[in-house]
Amino acid sequence: MKRYFCLIAFIIGLFFCVDINAQKKIEDDMEHNRIMFSGATTSDTYLLEMGYHYMFSNYVGVGGTFGFWKVSSSGGRASGKGWWVDDDYNDPSNVYIKPSVILKSPQLSIFSLYAEPSIMLNVPYQMAYVELTDQFPHCEYERISTNKGQWLALELRAGISADFSSFGITLGYLMSNLDPFSMYRHMSYNGVSFQSFYRKKSFRQGAFISASFYF
């Protein structure tokens, strides 16, 4: 994750190099509360979020989001003699909370640079149902679960924000070390480990878009 920390350092340094007093607003006139709705996608995962940040100034805010992610295509399925993972549970998903800091540059017209480093805290639990296929057409299911694997991930979003009074739109690039198959690889059934069925990918990148409202 050296790229993650280097990019954070670069963006923070860029903001400090800009004269933020050039466009400073009177604090009493600005809206300090910011709510946000966001969607994001990587090559095989999508994320939906809603969040709140308190803006200390036009350039710095602290808060967090509540979100949901799901793998759109797992690319494989754990299986063995007379069983496989049920279709509805083959693509992992989870919910999370994500404390974050918002950093924005002074505006040029309505546009500003945007960065949001964060820590994603997932629910440390995953479950799946195994479908027993050796008694077809009668099917039975067994539940398996685990609390092992990655539940904490780092994420950075960087892009361009356009603000129109009390409304704003942001779009840009994201990168994260979230491994959505981490917990599934710790599962097993009838002595068969899921390790080889679900790929390991500890660096992800994609795009995001969000709408924000200030009040």
Side-chain angles (χ1 to χ4, degrees):
M1 289 300 293
K2 289 183 179 179
R3 288 172 289 186
Y4 181 91
F5 294 109
C6 288
L7 188 54
I8 290 177
F10 172 78
I11 292 173
I12 292 176
L14 180 63
F15 288 155
F16 274 109
C17 289
V18 178
D19 180 11
I20 65 174
N21 292 317
Q23 300 185 35
K24 184 176 181 180
K25 289 174 66 178
I26 300 174
E27 293 296 320
D28 291 340
D29 292 339
M30 72 169 291
E31 306 289 356
H32 291 276
N33 301 289
R34 177 183 186 268
I35 59 173
M36 176 271 294
F37 302 92
S38 175
T41 182
T42 68
S43 60
D44 59 6
T45 307
Y46 66 86
L47 305 89
L48 300 173
E49 296 179 347
M50 62 180 298
Y52 169 84
H53 290 81
Y54 182 83
M55 302 301 296
F56 294 98
S57 70
N58 293 319
Y59 316 107
V60 180
V62 175
T65 58
F66 174 79
F68 168 83
W69 62 257
K70 183 175 176 62
V71 172
S72 55
S73 175
S74 63
R77 175 159 61 171
S79 61
K81 185 177 180 180
W83 65 270
W84 58 49
V85 172
D86 183 62
D87 288 342
D88 293 337
Y89 290 87
N90 193 49
D91 299 327
S93 62
N94 209 333
V95 295
Y96 59 88
I97 57 173
K98 192 175 71 174
S100 63
V101 176
I102 287 177
L103 302 171
K104 297 177 69 176
S105 72
Q107 286 185 327
L108 178 61
S109 180
I110 61 172
F111 300 102
S112 58
L113 298 178
Y114 176 94
E116 185 182 352
S118 61
I119 300 175
M120 179 185 289
L121 305 173
N122 293 273
V123 175
Y125 177 82
Q126 284 278 14
M127 75 169 190
Y129 278 89
V130 171
E131 181 179 347
L132 307 180
T133 61
D134 55 357
Q135 300 180 15
F136 185 83
H138 176 70
C139 292
E140 293 185 358
Y141 297 87
E142 291 189 17
R143 189 180 73 171
I144 57 175
S145 63
T146 184
N147 58 7
K148 298 179 180 178
Q150 184 196 44
W151 59 273
L152 182 150
L154 302 178
E155 184 186 271
L156 174 64
R157 300 187 179 197
I160 301 294
S161 182
D163 291 313
F164 311 88
S165 183
S166 60
F167 171 74
I169 296 177
T170 305
L171 56 87
Y173 164 84
L174 73 83
M175 61 179 183
S176 168
N177 70 342
L178 173 67
D179 182 354
F181 298 102
S182 175
M183 290 191 177
Y184 267 41
R185 291 197 303 273
H186 285 81
M187 292 184 183
S188 63
Y189 182 76
N190 274 1
V192 178
S193 171
F194 289 9
Q195 184 77 28
S196 62
F197 294 97
Y198 299 103
R199 59 187 177 273
K200 181 177 182 180
K201 189 176 182 181
S202 58
F203 178 75
R204 319 183 76 76
Q205 51 189 335
F208 76 94
I209 185 170
S210 65
S212 54
F213 304 88
Y214 299 87
F215 62 96

